[in-house]
Amino acid sequence: MGNRLRMALLPMYIQLYDDSWPELRERVDAFHQIIIGEFEKRGLDVVSSPVCRVQAEFEAAMESFEREGADAVVTLHLAYSPSLESASALAATGLPLVVLNTTPTYDFSPAQHPDEILYNHGIHGVQDMCNLLLRNGKRFLIESGHWEKSDVLDRVAACVRAARISKEMKRAKVGRIGDPFQGMGDFLVPEEVLRATIGIETISFDLQNDAELFEAVSDRQIDEEMEGDKRDYQWGSFDEEVYRRSVHDGLSLRHLIEAERLTALTVNFMAITGRSALFTMPFLEASKAMSRGIGYAGEGDVLTAALVGALLSVYPDASFTEMFCPDWDNDAIFLSHMGEMNVRVAANKPVLREKPFPFTDAGNPIVACGRFRGGEAVYACLAPGADNAYTFILSRIQMLDVEGIDRMEDSIRGWFRPSLPAPEFLSSFSKHGGIHHGVIVYGDVIEVLERFGDIMGWHTVTIG
């Protein structure tokens, strides 16, 4: 997982009240501090400005939040705050904006004391501000409810997690080894379009001509990596020299990832040949890289690799995968890929095995064969659409444990049951343009991912 989530809290007020009723500020400021503490209890680092009332104060606050590297700005109306004081500063920032629509007091029935009006009328300030944000073209998320008697602060925290994923997606730097797989079109988006529409930077590497990019790896480094593998993996059948060469290539690739500061990687296995800078397809390192938070996707798929990397920044138990085969009999879907999975999400210690590689004249690879563990998860897919738009497809799923015989133990494998009957799920998935590459994200994360899609401005579809 990356660094702790950093939330900027923007407390909003009106100068008129400080001039007319300065005594209100003691309680107003106390409520501001309570909200900071509540978000800190939820695992967020909170940076907050002094209470902002006029345009210059809002501008100074936003400049500070941007310097601090905040993942999102959360607004808190402590009373009515005139929108023209804040609108230009909020519209100008590139930071995601989350509106916390709450008040200190839970009960505002006829029995409530009239003095409470001055502390609890921020909602019309929210309405004023949101209208101006929309008119200025500034996207925002909004969550409403009582801070103590509802889950609104949890929902806002989910928005901040979504904002972190969004930030990582927009600054993704993906290394691509080889050209995209010939004839495979569903994930294919031109590099310049990925950069213009999302911000993804693609770095292409030619294994035939870029051998100098791969740093020399010492025998000691290889030995140390192999010792670590003995701790982390089970030993299957492989030739010792093939394994050593595979580790060498994995470390070379790891050095490249670090040197280029890549957030994700994609490899077209057809680019690995007997004449390339890598001896074998680096399946093992791809699996290890995901466990370290580096995104990955197969076949030259830059888009999904960037998505995996962004999701891993908040959810380390996520992995690239593909829906391979329907299990009609058991209303489930079989997941697999040639040799990559995030080893963090394996049900047991993966088994290192040598696999035949009949596609080119490259050496045989070592694969960490494992099964996705059972549990609650979300299947996520980012699908390119017409006019350079994207559809973000999500579905709650249940990853299945395996009881009894598993004749596929020599492969990457897993099974899930979708929230709809499998035939209905598969039809809906393709009606929305779902591509054959996807991501498994473990946990009850659908609300965060839906908010992530909203922040990105994608058409977000939840199946089931």
Side-chain angles (χ1 to χ4, degrees):
M1 183 177 288
N3 296 327
R4 281 170 58 91
L5 296 162
R6 174 161 287 193
M7 186 193 94
L9 185 64
L10 181 66
M12 307 177 71
Y13 201 55
I14 182 170
Q15 180 71 55
L16 176 66
Y17 289 3
D18 274 346
D19 295 339
S20 302
W21 301 297
E23 67 275 11
L24 298 181
R25 280 296 293 277
E26 181 178 358
R27 181 172 157 186
V28 166
D29 290 341
F31 182 60
H32 174 204
Q33 294 303 314
I34 286 171
I35 296 300
I36 291 174
E38 288 296 321
F39 280 120
E40 289 175 340
K41 290 177 186 177
R42 287 161 172 80
L44 304 180
D45 284 340
V46 181
V47 293
S48 187
S49 68
V51 172
C52 294
R53 304 156 303 175
V54 296
Q55 184 172 345
E57 293 171 345
F58 283 104
E59 291 172 348
M62 297 310 297
E63 290 174 5
S64 173
F65 295 157
E66 291 169 357
R67 286 196 307 270
E68 291 278 353
D71 293 307
V73 175
V74 176
T75 65
L76 174 64
H77 277 74
L78 297 168
Y80 174 67
S81 179
S83 62
L84 288 176
E85 301 290 355
S86 61
S88 60
L90 293 176
T93 185
L95 296 174
L97 187 62
V98 184
V99 180
L100 169 55
N101 193 17
T102 193
T103 56
T105 302
Y106 184 55
D107 172 24
F108 219 91
S109 65
Q112 185 55 261
H113 194 286
D115 287 353
E116 287 297 298
I117 294 174
L118 289 172
Y119 299 102
N120 289 279
H121 66 291
I123 62 170
H124 62 270
V126 169
Q127 293 159 4
D128 185 359
M129 181 186 72
C130 289
N131 176 272
L132 264 289
L133 293 174
L134 291 170
R135 288 162 66 182
N136 281 280
K138 176 64 177 177
R139 300 182 62 86
F140 61 89
L141 303 180
I142 181 167
E143 301 293 344
S144 301
H146 188 260
W147 68 276
E148 188 177 29
K149 302 292 187 179
S150 78
D151 65 348
V152 68
L153 299 186
D154 294 325
R155 285 182 272 126
V156 171
C159 292
V160 177
R161 291 183 177 89
R164 164 64 69 83
I165 300 170
S166 171
K167 179 164 71 173
E168 297 301 325
M169 188 72 183
K170 291 176 180 178
R171 66 183 185 186
K173 187 177 182 183
V174 183
R176 190 185 68 205
I177 292 178
D179 294 328
F181 191 89
Q182 187 173 357
M184 194 174 285
D186 57 355
F187 60 71
L188 192 61
V189 180
E191 294 177 19
E192 62 274 15
V193 175
L194 288 174
R195 179 184 278 276
T197 57
I198 298 177
I200 299 170
E201 180 181 359
T202 305
I203 311 294
S204 298
F205 301 108
D206 180 353
L207 293 184
Q208 314 303 321
N209 300 309
D210 292 343
E212 70 279 1
L213 293 172
F214 291 89
E215 182 179 321
V217 176
S218 69
D219 287 338
R220 179 179 177 182
Q221 290 172 313
I222 295 172
D223 292 339
E224 289 175 350
E225 186 72 11
M226 292 169 68
E227 282 300 311
D229 286 350
K230 289 178 182 178
R231 178 188 65 245
D232 297 333
Y233 303 95
Q234 300 181 66
W235 246 230
S237 58
F238 51 77
D239 179 273
E240 190 69 24
E241 184 57 30
V242 169
Y243 170 50
R244 192 172 185 87
R245 288 293 301 271
S246 183
V247 172
H248 172 278
D249 284 2
L251 291 173
S252 293
L253 186 57
R254 191 179 305 174
H255 293 157
L256 179 65
I257 292 169
E258 293 169 353
E260 297 291 333
R261 301 191 177 193
L262 302 179
T263 65
L265 179 75
T266 180
V267 182
N268 180 356
F269 63 91
M270 295 299 293
I272 311 298
T273 71
R275 300 171 302 285
S276 67
L278 296 178
F279 166 77
T280 186
M281 174 64 198
F283 287 128
L284 179 56
E285 183 58 26
S287 298
K288 291 178 179 180
M290 282 189 278
S291 75
R292 301 193 308 271
I294 302 298
Y296 182 82
E299 287 94 43
D301 180 357
V302 172
L303 180 64
T304 303
L307 176 64
V308 175
L311 292 170
L312 285 169
S313 72
V314 171
Y315 297 114
D317 287 355
S319 181
F320 168 71
T321 192
E322 286 187 10
M323 288 187 269
F324 249 69
C325 305
D327 180 2
W328 306 118
D329 188 31
N330 294 290
D331 196 35
I333 295 168
F334 171 63
L335 298 171
S336 189
H337 206 248
M338 291 179 68
E340 318 97 319
M341 71 177 295
N342 182 348
V343 291
R344 283 181 56 100
V345 301
N348 302 295
K349 279 188 178 183
V351 181
L352 298 185
R353 302 184 189 277
E354 180 179 346
K355 304 284 283 187
F357 193 77
F359 311 105
T360 74
D361 60 351
N364 285 345
I366 299 295
V367 173
C369 297
R371 174 175 60 81
F372 289 99
R373 69 171 185 260
E376 183 180 19
V378 171
Y379 191 90
C381 169
L382 183 55
D387 301 320
N388 296 333
Y390 302 89
T391 299
F392 193 38
I393 304 171
L394 304 169
S395 185
R396 289 184 177 89
I397 62 172
Q398 185 68 31
M399 296 298 297
L400 303 177
D401 288 314
V402 173
E403 298 178 0
I405 297 173
D406 180 1
R407 294 194 175 118
M408 301 186 192
E409 61 183 10
D410 288 351
S411 64
I412 303 292
R413 76 272 188 205
W415 289 261
F416 76 83
R417 183 163 291 126
S419 53
L420 298 177
E424 187 178 343
F425 166 79
L426 289 170
S427 293
S428 181
F429 185 82
S430 288
K431 283 180 180 179
H432 290 295
I435 67 173
H436 77 286
H437 285 173
V439 192
I440 293 291
V441 189
Y442 279 84
D444 182 13
V445 301
I446 194 126
E447 291 186 358
V448 173
L449 300 191
E450 288 171 338
R451 288 165 171 81
F452 163 52
D454 288 344
I455 291 172
M456 295 298 299
W458 299 330
H459 176 50
T460 302
V461 174
T462 299
I463 299 175

